[in-house]
Amino acid sequence: MLKIDNLHAEVDGASGSKTILKGLSLEVPAGEVHAIMGPNGAGKSTLANVLGGKPGYDVTQGSVEFKGEDLFELDPHERAASGLFLGFQYPVEIPGVSNVQFLREALNSQRKYRGEEPLSGGEFLKLAKEKAGLLKMDMEMLKRQVNVGFSGGEKKRAEMVQMGILDPAFAVLDETDSGLDIDALRIVGEGINSIMRGQGKGVLLITHYQRLLDVVKPDRVSVLADGRIVQTGGPELALRLEAEGYDAVMAEAAA
Amino acid sequence: MYPQEPQWAREAIRAGNEKDIKMTEAQTLPTRRDEAWRYADIDAVQRLGTAALDAWQDIAVANGETWQDTMVIGTDAPELRRIRLTLGEGATAAIFVTNTGRDFTRVEVEVTLGKGAHFEFGGVTIGGGDAVREFVTTTIHAEPDATSNQTVRAVHWGTGTGNFLGEIKVARHAQKTDAAQDFKGLLLEAGASANAVPQLEIFADDVKCAHGATVGQLDEAARYYMAARGLSPEQSQRLLVQAFLGDAFVELDDEAAREKLLEAALTALEGASL
Ligand SMILES: Nc1ncnc2c1ncn2[C@@H]1O[C@H](COP(=O)(O)OP(=O)(O)O)[C@@H](O)[C@H]1O
Ligand SMILES: [Mg+2]
């Protein structure tokens, strides 16, 4: 479903451009949840940003196929409309725009792109209420401005409500578990399962913690270090990383 | 402290006490050297001529009365609208304007407030090309306890310009005056400009005069976030501009009128660079 092949990418910084992804290959077939773990600065968020098409990130080599098509042929909003969802590590605040207005317009814009009928105000509110309920988020929060005044945990939970409403085919979730307390972590994990587990769906789950993986139960786990996937295994790899740390597991892989 | 109040203060007080005022104007055209015309398109002013300069609309709002006007102004030709308001004791006046001029378009308001009166101004300038749009207000707090609140938002692209020149004058005995001015400019392209010129002349000592002015660009992080949710560049720009403009019209209770002013602004936004 998502096929990343030999991806090289650089980011424009203040002191010129810097290569971050250095030949990253990874494939996530439909129906799978693939966890990505790795040390800080390894390039995990960069991968998410390159997949999303964030300005300032340039692909210099390699390719990404999404649902059999060249992802880089699409503008960021077209990627979203074709079913790619990004859960942000740091969700952005949009003063003056309510969640309801933002998400209804986003959903209807995606539906239009796919040749589907728009949802009416009433239909949208019903859907939003259902998905907010799933994440145990008060509907009142959705009437407020996008992420403005939300705590770190509330922002992450709101990301999952957005995902529920938009119902993507594939989600790239960047540290969605950071900033969550134990109860919220379970709610978010179960939310991911109920929204994204299913035929024809896939998830790339970037995380540092086993706790989320206890709930979401990934099919595959990969380690990303210095811009490449250095090791891939089953769920037991995550348990070993938690017990022994990145350095030990990576040293063994290199040996 | 000033030994004596300036001429405008004494005139203002007198004007405030008269119901019907007849004005005579200087017949010469302004130049850029005149403070209130420093950012104006003087060529366009010359095309307008002195007749336009003399066309003051005089409005007196009686004690305790309320007056409000909303307007959408802006065509392909230069335009000048001059409004002179005199507010009696406890009177309230409000003006809300969307200025979408595609040539020099200036709205000028001169208001003299009686005791305990309130003046509300909400304005939006929006547009590209190379036109100058501006609001020029002179707010004269001639008596105590009056309040005024002015909120202007400017959204420009191309080499378009938006200006807000706001002069506030507080007479010596106009204690407890509360006058606020707030300007924010949003520039969609590097060649556009937004200017705020607050000017305060305060002769009373127990006065609150808050004024703020900032100029910025669209939040690129927000635009990427919105794109990641499926909004096109046009849609995210429109939503962000709509949110930005909102403050100018929050004090307008009439929802239909508010929608109309906002819609006019957003229609002018179509065709803006992304
Ligand atoms: N916009 C940027 N400007 C400059 N450097 C960046 C930018 N984004 C990422 N980097 C650098 O790229 C490297 C990888 O960052 P990131 O992808 O955020 O890592 P991770 O998410 O794995 O912690 C880091 O060294 C970081 O400083
Ligand atoms: Mg990161």
Side-chain angles (χ1 to χ4, degrees):
Chain A
M1 174 164 219
L2 182 76
K3 188 165 184 281
I4 305 170
D5 187 36
N6 191 33
L7 186 62
H8 290 69
E10 54 187 37
V11 54
D12 309 331
S15 51
S17 53
K18 183 177 159 194
T19 302
I20 312 289
L21 300 183
K22 304 167 181 171
L24 188 150
S25 298
L26 178 75
E27 190 168 352
V28 185
E32 277 198 6
V33 172
H34 196 128
I36 302 255
M37 306 181 83
N40 292 326
K44 303 182 298 296
S45 294
T46 301
L47 173 62
N49 285 329
V50 167
L51 294 175
K54 185 172 184 176
Y57 290 77
D58 299 320
V59 174
T60 52
Q61 210 183 316
S63 64
V64 176
E65 249 181 42
F66 177 53
K67 298 201 292 189
E69 302 198 49
D70 181 358
L71 185 70
F72 298 142
E73 284 294 305
L74 302 176
D75 285 338
H77 70 283
E78 297 170 330
R79 299 180 194 190
S82 62
L84 182 69
F85 179 88
L86 289 188
F88 281 53
Q89 182 172 2
Y90 303 107
V92 180
E93 299 183 4
I94 313 178
V97 179
S98 78
N99 284 284
V100 169
Q101 183 185 21
F102 172 48
L103 291 170
R104 183 175 167 209
E105 195 155 329
L107 177 61
N108 281 339
S109 170
Q110 292 199 17
R111 292 177 67 94
K112 188 172 173 194
Y113 181 88
R114 298 191 292 257
E116 299 162 10
E117 287 296 309
L119 291 194
S120 70
E123 287 166 332
F124 174 79
L125 282 178
K126 190 161 165 267
L127 175 69
K129 208 167 177 175
E130 181 201 325
K131 301 304 176 184
L134 191 65
L135 273 302
K136 300 200 167 41
M137 176 171 259
D138 193 343
M139 197 52 199
E140 286 306 305
M141 296 269 296
L142 283 189
K143 294 184 181 151
R144 283 164 48 183
Q145 304 171 62
V146 179
N147 290 321
V148 176
F150 286 21
S151 71
E154 285 168 342
K155 285 179 183 168
K156 296 305 180 70
R157 207 189 286 210
E159 289 287 278
M160 294 301 98
V161 176
Q162 294 189 14
M163 184 169 78
I165 290 169
L166 298 171
D167 191 25
F170 196 96
V172 178
L173 304 180
D174 192 0
E175 295 198 26
T176 297
D177 49 349
S178 65
L180 295 178
D181 64 38
I182 296 168
D183 292 346
L185 195 100
R186 171 159 296 280
I187 291 165
V188 162
E190 284 165 357
I192 295 171
N193 287 335
S194 102
I195 299 162
M196 297 307 298
R197 275 291 188 187
Q199 281 184 353
K201 294 214 167 191
V203 177
L204 201 58
L205 187 65
I206 298 169
T207 182
H208 283 297
Y209 303 108
Q210 180 58 35
R211 209 171 253 149
L212 181 65
L213 301 181
D214 286 340
V215 184
V216 180
K217 301 199 186 352
D219 301 283
R220 308 288 289 161
V221 175
S222 286
V223 180
L224 200 170
D226 195 23
R228 287 183 200 88
I229 300 296
V230 295
Q231 205 173 355
T232 298
E236 74 286 348
L237 178 56
L239 292 168
R240 280 191 54 216
L241 287 167
E242 174 111 325
E244 299 169 32
Y246 291 120
D247 285 348
V249 173
M250 277 155 47
E252 194 181 303
Chain B
M1 255 289 121
Y2 296 86
Q4 202 196 346
E5 283 182 297
Q7 185 69 13
W8 62 259
R10 278 172 284 134
E11 274 175 13
I13 293 159
R14 221 179 315 119
N17 293 335
E18 282 169 29
K19 273 271 155 316
D20 216 2
I21 325 141
K22 285 276 170 291
M23 295 289 165
T24 49
E25 292 296 323
Q27 294 301 310
T28 53
L29 288 168
T31 72
R32 286 250 180 164
R33 280 190 298 277
D34 296 311
E35 189 59 32
W37 297 85
R38 61 190 278 192
Y39 293 110
D41 178 346
I42 294 297
D43 287 348
V45 177
Q46 270 158 5
R47 277 183 282 142
L48 279 164
T50 51
L53 287 166
D54 285 345
W56 281 96
Q57 181 188 359
D58 282 298
I59 294 152
V61 186
N63 294 353
E65 295 287 308
T66 296
W67 176 89
Q68 177 172 296
D69 197 8
T70 63
M71 58 185 107
V72 174
I73 182 169
T75 64
D76 288 317
E79 198 168 342
L80 172 62
R81 188 82 58 92
R82 313 187 96 175
I83 301 165
R84 189 150 33 207
L85 288 167
T86 309
L87 307 192
E89 198 172 315
T92 296
I95 299 179
F96 299 95
V97 198
T98 293
N99 179 342
T100 63
R102 291 178 301 277
D103 198 335
F104 177 62
T105 303
R106 170 173 168 122
V107 177
E108 234 176 289
V109 182
E110 192 184 298
V111 53
T112 304
L113 292 100
K115 187 174 191 304
H118 178 73
F119 172 58
E120 185 73 38
F121 183 81
V124 165
T125 64
I126 185 163
D130 60 359
V132 175
R133 303 101 184 145
E134 58 189 8
F135 295 123
V136 181
T137 63
T138 306
T139 307
I140 302 166
H141 283 264
E143 299 290 339
D145 304 322
T147 54
S148 60
N149 185 46
Q150 303 176 54
T151 308
V152 174
R153 297 290 178 264
V155 179
H156 299 288
W157 58 94
T159 52
T161 300
N163 304 322
F164 175 37
L165 290 81
E167 194 173 3
I168 291 177
K169 300 173 167 187
V170 181
R172 169 114 49 114
H173 72 290
Q175 302 296 359
K176 305 283 182 204
T177 286
D178 188 342
Q181 274 186 359
D182 180 57
F183 174 86
K184 286 197 177 96
L186 178 63
L187 304 180
L188 306 181
E189 273 182 300
S193 52
N195 305 293
V197 187
Q199 228 184 313
L200 306 176
E201 257 184 79
I202 301 171
F203 292 91
D205 41 34
D206 186 8
V207 166
K208 268 198 274 185
C209 278
H211 62 95
T214 58
V215 178
Q217 283 133 33
L218 276 183
D219 178 354
E220 285 308 317
R223 293 194 82 187
Y224 171 60
Y225 186 66
M226 295 167 100
R229 297 292 175 260
L231 295 177
S232 67
E234 291 86 351
Q235 287 176 305
S236 63
Q237 184 178 69
R238 186 182 158 99
L239 266 182
L240 290 172
V241 167
Q242 188 179 344
F244 176 80
L245 297 180
D247 289 344
F249 303 135
V250 280
E251 296 298 329
L252 175 55
D253 292 331
D254 180 345
E255 196 175 330
R258 195 168 61 227
E259 280 302 306
K260 202 171 150 220
L261 292 179
L262 212 48
E263 242 348 276
L266 293 174
T267 300
L269 182 68
E270 286 165 18
S273 58
L274 295 169

PDB file of all heavy atoms in Angstrom, chain A residues 9 21 26 36 39 74 81 83 93 105 129 134 169 189-190 200 217 221 231 238:
ATOM      1  N   ALA A   9      16.449  12.455   1.210  1.00  0.00           N
ATOM      2  CA  ALA A   9      15.799  13.766   1.297  1.00  0.00           C
ATOM      3  C   ALA A   9      16.638  14.709   2.123  1.00  0.00           C
ATOM      4  O   ALA A   9      17.345  14.299   3.052  1.00  0.00           O
ATOM      5  CB  ALA A   9      14.407  13.618   1.912  1.00  0.00           C
ATOM      6  N   LEU A  21      17.465  11.989   5.181  1.00  0.00           N
ATOM      7  CA  LEU A  21      17.123  10.610   4.827  1.00  0.00           C
ATOM      8  C   LEU A  21      18.152  10.131   3.802  1.00  0.00           C
ATOM      9  O   LEU A  21      18.382  10.784   2.787  1.00  0.00           O
ATOM     10  CB  LEU A  21      15.699  10.528   4.274  1.00  0.00           C
ATOM     11  CG  LEU A  21      14.596  10.996   5.233  1.00  0.00           C
ATOM     12  CD1 LEU A  21      13.224  10.793   4.603  1.00  0.00           C
ATOM     13  CD2 LEU A  21      14.685  10.298   6.584  1.00  0.00           C
ATOM     14  N   LEU A  26      11.192   0.916   2.795  1.00  0.00           N
ATOM     15  CA  LEU A  26      10.219   0.348   3.731  1.00  0.00           C
ATOM     16  C   LEU A  26       8.932   0.081   2.975  1.00  0.00           C
ATOM     17  O   LEU A  26       8.517   0.891   2.148  1.00  0.00           O
ATOM     18  CB  LEU A  26       9.952   1.378   4.842  1.00  0.00           C
ATOM     19  CG  LEU A  26       8.946   1.051   5.934  1.00  0.00           C
ATOM     20  CD1 LEU A  26       9.551   0.043   6.898  1.00  0.00           C
ATOM     21  CD2 LEU A  26       8.582   2.323   6.693  1.00  0.00           C
ATOM     22  N   ILE A  36       7.626   2.387  13.788  1.00  0.00           N
ATOM     23  CA  ILE A  36       8.979   2.889  13.553  1.00  0.00           C
ATOM     24  C   ILE A  36       9.507   3.444  14.865  1.00  0.00           C
ATOM     25  O   ILE A  36       8.857   4.293  15.494  1.00  0.00           O
ATOM     26  CB  ILE A  36       8.993   4.035  12.523  1.00  0.00           C
ATOM     27  CG1 ILE A  36       8.401   3.581  11.194  1.00  0.00           C
ATOM     28  CG2 ILE A  36      10.395   4.598  12.377  1.00  0.00           C
ATOM     29  CD1 ILE A  36       9.381   3.346  10.104  1.00  0.00           C
ATOM     30  N   PRO A  39      16.329   6.552  17.587  1.00  0.00           N
ATOM     31  CA  PRO A  39      16.819   7.625  18.456  1.00  0.00           C
ATOM     32  C   PRO A  39      16.367   9.010  17.983  1.00  0.00           C
ATOM     33  O   PRO A  39      15.996   9.189  16.827  1.00  0.00           O
ATOM     34  CB  PRO A  39      18.341   7.502  18.373  1.00  0.00           C
ATOM     35  CG  PRO A  39      18.647   6.454  17.366  1.00  0.00           C
ATOM     36  CD  PRO A  39      17.393   5.794  16.937  1.00  0.00           C
ATOM     37  N   LEU A  74       1.646  14.295  -6.337  1.00  0.00           N
ATOM     38  CA  LEU A  74       0.487  14.972  -5.733  1.00  0.00           C
ATOM     39  C   LEU A  74       0.914  16.121  -4.815  1.00  0.00           C
ATOM     40  O   LEU A  74       1.925  16.030  -4.120  1.00  0.00           O
ATOM     41  CB  LEU A  74      -0.332  13.969  -4.910  1.00  0.00           C
ATOM     42  CG  LEU A  74      -0.868  12.735  -5.640  1.00  0.00           C
ATOM     43  CD1 LEU A  74      -1.573  11.800  -4.651  1.00  0.00           C
ATOM     44  CD2 LEU A  74      -1.825  13.149  -6.759  1.00  0.00           C
ATOM     45  N   ALA A  81      -6.388  13.988   0.259  1.00  0.00           N
ATOM     46  CA  ALA A  81      -7.645  13.576  -0.367  1.00  0.00           C
ATOM     47  C   ALA A  81      -7.568  12.152  -0.914  1.00  0.00           C
ATOM     48  O   ALA A  81      -8.580  11.450  -0.979  1.00  0.00           O
ATOM     49  CB  ALA A  81      -8.025  14.555  -1.478  1.00  0.00           C
ATOM     50  N   GLY A  83      -6.197   9.841   0.599  1.00  0.00           N
ATOM     51  CA  GLY A  83      -6.301   8.908   1.723  1.00  0.00           C
ATOM     52  C   GLY A  83      -5.121   8.848   2.669  1.00  0.00           C
ATOM     53  O   GLY A  83      -5.049   7.977   3.529  1.00  0.00           O
ATOM     54  N   GLU A  93      -1.713  25.267  15.995  1.00  0.00           N
ATOM     55  CA  GLU A  93      -2.866  26.056  16.446  1.00  0.00           C
ATOM     56  C   GLU A  93      -3.325  26.976  15.316  1.00  0.00           C
ATOM     57  O   GLU A  93      -2.510  27.574  14.628  1.00  0.00           O
ATOM     58  CB  GLU A  93      -2.485  26.899  17.664  1.00  0.00           C
ATOM     59  CG  GLU A  93      -2.050  26.048  18.839  1.00  0.00           C
ATOM     60  CD  GLU A  93      -1.738  26.863  20.098  1.00  0.00           C
ATOM     61  OE1 GLU A  93      -1.941  28.094  20.082  1.00  0.00           O
ATOM     62  OE2 GLU A  93      -1.306  26.248  21.083  1.00  0.00           O
ATOM     63  N   GLU A 105     -14.925  21.597   6.343  1.00  0.00           N
ATOM     64  CA  GLU A 105     -14.412  22.059   5.054  1.00  0.00           C
ATOM     65  C   GLU A 105     -13.371  21.082   4.507  1.00  0.00           C
ATOM     66  O   GLU A 105     -13.343  20.782   3.314  1.00  0.00           O
ATOM     67  CB  GLU A 105     -13.825  23.473   5.198  1.00  0.00           C
ATOM     68  CG  GLU A 105     -13.628  24.124   3.843  1.00  0.00           C
ATOM     69  CD  GLU A 105     -13.629  25.649   3.889  1.00  0.00           C
ATOM     70  OE1 GLU A 105     -14.317  26.248   4.742  1.00  0.00           O
ATOM     71  OE2 GLU A 105     -12.938  26.236   3.056  1.00  0.00           O
ATOM     72  N   LYS A 129     -19.615  14.036  16.261  1.00  0.00           N
ATOM     73  CA  LYS A 129     -20.009  13.649  17.612  1.00  0.00           C
ATOM     74  C   LYS A 129     -19.635  12.198  17.880  1.00  0.00           C
ATOM     75  O   LYS A 129     -19.117  11.862  18.939  1.00  0.00           O
ATOM     76  CB  LYS A 129     -21.534  13.828  17.731  1.00  0.00           C
ATOM     77  CG  LYS A 129     -22.016  14.116  19.111  1.00  0.00           C
ATOM     78  CD  LYS A 129     -23.454  14.589  19.063  1.00  0.00           C
ATOM     79  CE  LYS A 129     -23.976  14.811  20.454  1.00  0.00           C
ATOM     80  NZ  LYS A 129     -25.328  15.381  20.422  1.00  0.00           N
ATOM     81  N   LEU A 134     -15.809   8.445  20.497  1.00  0.00           N
ATOM     82  CA  LEU A 134     -14.862   7.331  20.416  1.00  0.00           C
ATOM     83  C   LEU A 134     -13.576   7.657  21.175  1.00  0.00           C
ATOM     84  O   LEU A 134     -12.970   6.802  21.811  1.00  0.00           O
ATOM     85  CB  LEU A 134     -14.543   7.098  18.936  1.00  0.00           C
ATOM     86  CG  LEU A 134     -13.780   5.855  18.525  1.00  0.00           C
ATOM     87  CD1 LEU A 134     -14.594   4.613  18.814  1.00  0.00           C
ATOM     88  CD2 LEU A 134     -13.463   5.922  17.026  1.00  0.00           C
ATOM     89  N   ALA A 169      -7.200   6.131   4.397  1.00  0.00           N
ATOM     90  CA  ALA A 169      -6.787   4.763   4.087  1.00  0.00           C
ATOM     91  C   ALA A 169      -5.475   4.435   4.794  1.00  0.00           C
ATOM     92  O   ALA A 169      -5.237   3.288   5.179  1.00  0.00           O
ATOM     93  CB  ALA A 169      -6.626   4.601   2.580  1.00  0.00           C
ATOM     94  N   GLY A 189      -4.851   4.618  21.786  1.00  0.00           N
ATOM     95  CA  GLY A 189      -4.487   3.332  21.181  1.00  0.00           C
ATOM     96  C   GLY A 189      -5.703   2.598  20.664  1.00  0.00           C
ATOM     97  O   GLY A 189      -5.724   2.088  19.532  1.00  0.00           O
ATOM     98  N   GLU A 190      -6.744   2.587  21.478  1.00  0.00           N
ATOM     99  CA  GLU A 190      -7.973   1.910  21.049  1.00  0.00           C
ATOM    100  C   GLU A 190      -8.636   2.655  19.894  1.00  0.00           C
ATOM    101  O   GLU A 190      -9.240   2.043  19.011  1.00  0.00           O
ATOM    102  CB  GLU A 190      -8.928   1.759  22.243  1.00  0.00           C
ATOM    103  CG  GLU A 190      -8.469   0.640  23.185  1.00  0.00           C
ATOM    104  CD  GLU A 190      -9.149   0.668  24.558  1.00  0.00           C
ATOM    105  OE1 GLU A 190      -9.948   1.602  24.812  1.00  0.00           O
ATOM    106  OE2 GLU A 190      -8.852  -0.238  25.362  1.00  0.00           O
ATOM    107  N   GLY A 200      -7.536  -3.030   3.661  1.00  0.00           N
ATOM    108  CA  GLY A 200      -7.331  -1.852   2.826  1.00  0.00           C
ATOM    109  C   GLY A 200      -6.825  -0.649   3.592  1.00  0.00           C
ATOM    110  O   GLY A 200      -6.768   0.452   3.059  1.00  0.00           O
ATOM    111  N   LYS A 217      -0.516  -3.112  19.079  1.00  0.00           N
ATOM    112  CA  LYS A 217       0.005  -4.393  18.580  1.00  0.00           C
ATOM    113  C   LYS A 217       0.408  -4.361  17.101  1.00  0.00           C
ATOM    114  O   LYS A 217      -0.332  -4.805  16.221  1.00  0.00           O
ATOM    115  CB  LYS A 217      -1.010  -5.518  18.802  1.00  0.00           C
ATOM    116  CG  LYS A 217      -1.394  -5.734  20.268  1.00  0.00           C
ATOM    117  CD  LYS A 217      -1.997  -7.088  20.492  1.00  0.00           C
ATOM    118  CE  LYS A 217      -2.541  -7.329  21.880  1.00  0.00           C
ATOM    119  NZ  LYS A 217      -2.299  -6.376  22.913  1.00  0.00           N
ATOM    120  N   VAL A 221       7.951  -4.109  13.177  1.00  0.00           N
ATOM    121  CA  VAL A 221       8.637  -3.022  13.871  1.00  0.00           C
ATOM    122  C   VAL A 221       9.967  -2.778  13.159  1.00  0.00           C
ATOM    123  O   VAL A 221      10.687  -3.735  12.857  1.00  0.00           O
ATOM    124  CB  VAL A 221       8.919  -3.381  15.347  1.00  0.00           C
ATOM    125  CG1 VAL A 221       9.742  -2.286  16.028  1.00  0.00           C
ATOM    126  CG2 VAL A 221       7.613  -3.623  16.104  1.00  0.00           C
ATOM    127  N   GLN A 231      16.983  -2.044  10.928  1.00  0.00           N
ATOM    128  CA  GLN A 231      16.552  -3.356  11.377  1.00  0.00           C
ATOM    129  C   GLN A 231      15.037  -3.439  11.326  1.00  0.00           C
ATOM    130  O   GLN A 231      14.341  -2.471  11.623  1.00  0.00           O
ATOM    131  CB  GLN A 231      17.027  -3.586  12.814  1.00  0.00           C
ATOM    132  CG  GLN A 231      17.166  -5.053  13.147  1.00  0.00           C
ATOM    133  CD  GLN A 231      17.802  -5.242  14.523  1.00  0.00           C
ATOM    134  OE1 GLN A 231      18.219  -4.285  15.165  1.00  0.00           O
ATOM    135  NE2 GLN A 231      17.874  -6.482  14.976  1.00  0.00           N
ATOM    136  N   ALA A 238      10.418  -4.576  19.378  1.00  0.00           N
ATOM    137  CA  ALA A 238      10.096  -3.410  20.212  1.00  0.00           C
ATOM    138  C   ALA A 238      10.365  -3.726  21.687  1.00  0.00           C
ATOM    139  O   ALA A 238      10.895  -2.893  22.434  1.00  0.00           O
ATOM    140  CB  ALA A 238       8.640  -3.012  20.022  1.00  0.00           C
TER     141      ALA A 238
END
